[in-house]
Amino acid sequence: MASLQFMINANPIGIFDSGIGGLSIARRIREILPNENLLYIADSAHAPYGDKSESYIYQRSSSIIEFLLERNAKAVVIACNTATVSSIKQLRANYSIPIVGVEPGVKPAAFKTRSGIIGVLATTQTLKSTSFNALANSFSTHVKIEVQPCPGLMEQVEALNLDSDITEQLIKEYVSPLLARGADNIVLGCTHYAYLEQSIKKIAGPNVEIINTDLAVAKEAARRLDNASLLTTNTVPGKDEFWSSGAPDIAQKQISQLWGETVNVLQM
Ligand code: DGL
């Protein structure tokens, strides 16, 4: 029995996103859980999720979890706000392994705001979901929440255009209305935007705080694994395995650049 538990604990943590945005969370998990094996899925062939229906996103999330389970994932981190708000409830009802998600950081922003106005940058689907609106409503007596859908922005990150003029223009277009309405905290409600954090900060100016929940999600994943006695007992650095449903050569370039080292990406 003890050896079976030992084998389960050595199994990987599955992490997925519609593309490469979730690498921002995977990186934090790697930092705080250095000995865990990680299995990352970029569903780039089906991105963006932000303009898809809830049922489409649920189906994608579900087949990715099946794929992760076939590879013995002991837990799943949905490193995508859109997939979390669209599907986590139903996924948790269907699968018994721990499933951790990410949703826009309205709560930390609500605690930090001085103007009482917070801005949320996210996908169209996240902002219209029942789950996000319930979250926003639960804070609406304390703060004013201004939302801004950002079509086209995740595509710039997928194309690795992190510093291009088009990206800067899009950021200005999306951040300016939030500033005009008095937001002093801007929530990065899509994991792709973590790679634009510096550009968003530059445009928002020094008086605006950017809320990024990557580290909080990684800590929550660690806490859930610990509670379920699933943390690895390995004492050597864990392995990273990357899969993509997108074109292999592009995926290889994307993931290597954002991960900061040349990695091999398997075709899903
Ligand atoms: N990275 C995803 C998120 O956090 C969404 C990007 C997309 O597929 O539209 O919401």
Side-chain angles (χ1 to χ4, degrees):
M1 193 59 198
S3 65
L4 180 63
Q5 187 62 31
F6 177 78
M7 279 164 65
I8 292 170
N9 288 22
N11 284 343
I13 302 170
I15 306 167
F16 77 91
D17 178 39
S18 62
I20 53 175
L23 289 169
S24 53
I25 289 179
R27 165 165 307 290
R28 293 300 200 169
I29 294 174
R30 170 50 72 231
E31 275 167 25
I32 67 171
L33 298 172
N35 299 339
E36 294 290 343
N37 292 318
L38 306 184
L39 209 169
Y40 185 88
I41 313 277
D43 195 18
S44 299
H46 303 94
Y49 283 179
D51 63 5
K52 306 288 191 309
S53 69
E54 211 149 272
S55 66
Y56 181 90
I57 298 165
Y58 172 75
Q59 275 167 30
R60 286 309 307 154
S61 302
S62 199
S63 41
I64 292 169
I65 292 188
E66 293 290 337
F67 183 89
L68 289 168
L69 289 175
E70 281 163 24
R71 280 153 193 84
N72 300 321
K74 62 182 175 183
V76 171
V77 177
I78 308 178
C80 175
N81 293 262
T82 314
T84 301
V85 298
S86 304
S87 66
I88 198 166
K89 249 195 197 152
Q90 213 177 331
L91 293 169
R92 280 181 173 150
N94 292 356
Y95 298 99
S96 57
I97 60 168
I99 301 179
V100 175
V102 54
E103 58 183 13
V106 170
K107 188 176 173 182
F111 280 113
K112 286 182 174 172
T113 180
R114 287 155 283 113
S115 68
I117 304 165
I118 68 174
V120 180
L121 300 171
T123 68
T124 306
Q125 173 56 31
T126 292
L127 296 177
K128 73 178 185 201
S129 68
T130 310
S131 168
F132 172 75
N133 283 288
L135 173 72
N137 283 340
S138 68
F139 287 93
S140 61
T141 49
H142 308 293
V143 290
K144 195 153 189 285
I145 301 173
E146 300 286 355
V147 301
Q148 177 63 55
C150 305
L153 203 51
M154 78 78 79
E155 287 87 337
Q156 294 304 319
V157 176
E158 288 284 305
L160 297 174
N161 290 334
L162 305 183
D163 297 313
S164 74
D165 290 348
I166 302 175
T167 305
E168 193 182 321
Q169 266 319 108
L170 280 174
I171 295 173
K172 277 190 183 141
E173 188 185 321
Y174 296 144
V175 168
S176 304
L178 300 178
L179 301 177
R181 286 180 229 139
D184 68 351
N185 275 251
I186 293 184
V187 176
L188 304 180
C190 168
T191 50
H192 282 78
Y193 308 163
Y195 289 102
L196 305 173
E197 184 168 349
Q198 288 317 313
S199 312
I200 293 171
K201 190 153 186 52
K202 208 170 107 199
I203 288 165
N207 299 327
V208 174
E209 186 147 357
I210 309 298
I211 306 292
N212 179 343
T213 55
D214 290 352
L215 184 59
V217 174
K219 285 183 178 165
E220 174 63 10
R223 198 187 61 83
R224 291 287 303 277
L225 285 166
D226 192 20
N227 283 352
S229 304
L230 283 174
L231 284 169
T232 187
T233 48
N234 285 348
T235 52
V236 292
K239 293 194 181 75
D240 308 317
E241 190 174 301
F242 300 96
W243 292 78
S244 173
S245 60
D249 49 335
I250 296 175
Q252 167 92 27
K253 189 168 169 244
Q254 287 173 314
I255 296 177
S256 295
Q257 180 167 328
L258 295 192
W259 199 246
E261 63 186 87
T262 304
V263 296
N264 184 36
V265 180
L266 299 156
Q267 181 69 21
M268 203 183 156

